[in-house]
Amino acid sequence: MNRRRLLQIGSLGVGSIAITSKLFSSAKKITIGKKPLVVSTWGVGINANKAAWEILRKNGRALDAVEAGVMITEAEQDNCCVGLSAYPDRDGHVTLDASIMDEQGNAGSVAFLERIKHPISVARLVMEKTPHVMLVGSGAQQFAVEQGFALEDDKLSDSAKKAYEDWLKTSQYKPVMNIENSKGQNAFAPHRFANGAFNHDTIGMISLDAQGNLSGSCTTSGLAFKMRGRVGDSPIIGAGLFVDNEVGAAVSTGLGEEVMRVCGSHMVIEAMRHGASPEDACKLTVEKILRRKPSIKTDDIQVGFIAIDKNGNFGGYSIQKGFNYAVCYADDYNTLIDAKHLL
Ligand code: GLY
């Protein structure tokens, strides 16, 4: 099947799975990748992968690896976008979202969680100890405290305090609908370093263990200076994260609203189920976002996906330049790869 044909198929979207199933089946070829394997978003993924790899190299479970891996990022002291050191919402509070899925399709998530250092571990306990998939806000916090998590101070890190004070100089303390169209700082724009590279906003991690089982995790503080109560894609199963042990695992990063509108990670998995490679499945999904919103320009909204399949193949794709992901499958292989991009 040539590239053009694949793009045509991509334009069908996830609603046309019956058709894509037929079309992809002619292209389906099994390629053997790496096992065990862990892949995570952005440069922070390198350190996170190291912790995950310590578990995978001893034939540990992918679920344990993806929890331990992202806990490293959650505990970082100077991280704008994950954990309690991250940038706050408009009211000056850090609110955290996280999700986790195991090889049996069990899922747990927390959203709008405050003052808890490791939301990913709370999400895992929601999955393992409650009949529910998702807990939010004060209920999630109450559950975390009942489970023995410490309630941390509601205090911004030095870097977050400075960034928040800078933001307050130019932005009204006032929720604004459609803020992306308003003047002044665009709170929905991706963070950028001075050198122009996109900053990470989420760590997502997906893994295949030595037993051939898949799991995934995702944790973030969401958009900096977001409206209070805003929840992104990361804790939404099927949007920010999806795992199907028969097929693969996928996780997203970037502007969560756009990911939620297409059930992004689920779409990646369904494309792989019907024969797309992990990279092509990620590409089809960012193309879907771009088709829905063709006005997206270079330097505008960023969304990226990473995916692995059941055979240990991996890939990623983003809308904009600047997205990268960390891949680890050996003691001496933990490398950052620049994702291909549409614009
Ligand atoms: N992708 C993270 C968020 O939008 O909250």
Side-chain angles (χ1 to χ4, degrees), residues 36-40 49 52-53 56 65-66 205-208 326-329:
L37 167 71
V38 57
V39 183
S40 54
N49 281 0
W53 183 251
L56 295 172
V66 298
M205 177 177 275
I206 44 184
S207 176
L208 176 69
V327 178
C328 175
Y329 52 74

Side-chain angles (χ1 to χ4, degrees), residues 87-88 156 158-172 185 225:
Y87 290 179
L156 296 182
D158 291 346
S159 54
K161 188 165 181 287
K162 181 172 181 327
Y164 183 53
E165 285 167 358
D166 285 350
W167 179 78
L168 284 175
K169 281 180 207 157
T170 52
S171 299
Q172 298 292 322
Q185 180 160 352
F225 320 126

Side-chain angles (χ1 to χ4, degrees), residues 111-128:
F112 194 45
L113 176 62
E114 295 177 275
R115 300 175 57 190
I116 299 291
K117 188 172 175 185
H118 287 299
I120 196 64
S121 301
V122 186
R124 181 167 176 172
L125 292 179
V126 171
M127 175 175 81
E128 293 181 338

Side-chain angles (χ1 to χ4, degrees), residues 97 201-202 220-223 230-234 252-257:
D97 300 338
D201 63 1
T202 301
T220 186
S221 57
L223 295 173
R230 181 263 185 189
V231 169
D233 59 320
S234 300
S252 68
T253 181
L255 184 60
E257 280 73 3

Side-chain angles (χ1 to χ4, degrees), residues 279 316-318 321-326 335-341:
E279 182 180 293
Y317 224 96
S318 58
K321 188 176 178 186
F323 172 47
N324 48 26
Y325 55 96
T335 297
L336 208 52
I337 294 177
D338 287 329
K340 292 183 192 162
H341 50 94

